[in-house]
Amino acid sequence: MRADRIRNRGAIVAAARELLGDPGSELTMDGIAVRAGVAVGTLYRHFPTKTDLVQAVLAETVTELADLAEAARDRVRDGADPWQQLVDFFVTIAQGPSASRTVAEAARALGVADDDTGPVDPAADRAVRALAETLAASRDAGLVRPDVDLADLFLVMVQAPDRHRPAERDRYMQLVAQGLRLGR
């Protein structure tokens, strides 16, 4: 792809992600084009439908979550406190630029699958595996309640207040951390 096409595609996805992340915004193709600084025709060349664009945003978000989950897992493998890595992971996604509906939808895509087959997307699979390993390390260290599973972690991600309500979000994270922690 040419550099300008790559730049335009990135700007379009970033604009859509911002609009999806803002609970008061309406996601229109014209609005996305304006925010991205591209012509509507350019937007449609990259994404013929709004569904295509939303899927691209969710794919990018799932990849970001996978990268964060793998980084946390890698720090645990290097000797970091697994509990702290779980908490830091959730704080990072709760405070990130896409912390809202986009993350909630991406979390659903990660593996709270109705048919129990788990995620099909390679990035989602990466995220699930990394989170499972970090959660297992936390449980093995006696830091997380033994009944906490991946579905609980996804529920935490899906229910977090959006970044536009920082006080509520911070309180939510405190309560969740206390609820997941084993007797400390």
Side-chain angles (χ1 to χ4, degrees):
M1 241 193 252
R2 292 183 349 221
D4 61 330
R5 283 187 50 85
I6 293 169
R7 185 178 51 253
N8 287 343
R9 186 183 193 288
I12 292 165
V13 171
R17 192 172 184 178
E18 286 176 25
L19 288 170
L20 275 170
D22 185 358
S25 293
E26 187 177 333
L27 190 67
T28 66
M29 296 300 257
D30 288 340
I32 293 165
V34 168
R35 182 164 283 193
V38 301
V40 175
T42 300
L43 186 150
Y44 280 106
R45 274 192 298 282
H46 286 278
F47 302 101
T49 68
K50 191 186 294 187
T51 300
D52 295 328
L53 178 55
V54 170
Q55 287 174 339
V57 171
L58 292 178
E60 183 180 280
T61 303
V62 170
T63 297
E64 179 183 317
L65 292 174
D67 293 345
L68 290 169
E70 287 178 334
R73 181 214 48 216
D74 293 346
R75 286 188 293 274
V76 169
R77 287 179 177 174
D78 290 340
D81 177 355
W83 167 252
Q84 192 59 54
Q85 293 308 306
L86 278 179
V87 170
D88 290 350
F89 172 80
F90 286 109
V91 167
T92 299
I93 63 170
Q95 294 176 340
S98 65
S100 65
R101 294 181 288 181
T102 312
V103 169
E105 290 303 318
R108 286 183 186 97
L110 282 179
V112 192
D114 294 335
D115 60 4
D116 239 3
T117 60
V120 227
D121 178 298
D125 188 54
R126 288 179 30 228
V128 168
R129 289 177 190 276
L131 277 175
E133 189 175 327
T134 304
L135 176 60
S138 294
R139 263 196 249 116
D140 293 347
L143 301 170
V144 174
R145 293 174 28 183
D147 63 328
V148 172
D149 61 17
L150 279 177
D152 296 324
L153 297 185
F154 294 131
L155 181 63
V156 167
M157 289 169 53
V158 170
Q159 298 301 322
D162 68 53
R163 66 186 164 98
H164 300 287
R165 300 182 324 206
E168 290 176 30
R169 183 199 57 229
D170 293 345
R171 180 65 177 148
Y172 174 83
M173 293 307 297
Q174 284 178 335
L175 293 171
V176 166
Q178 291 171 1
L180 296 175
R181 183 94 184 200
L182 182 63
R184 293 187 186 205

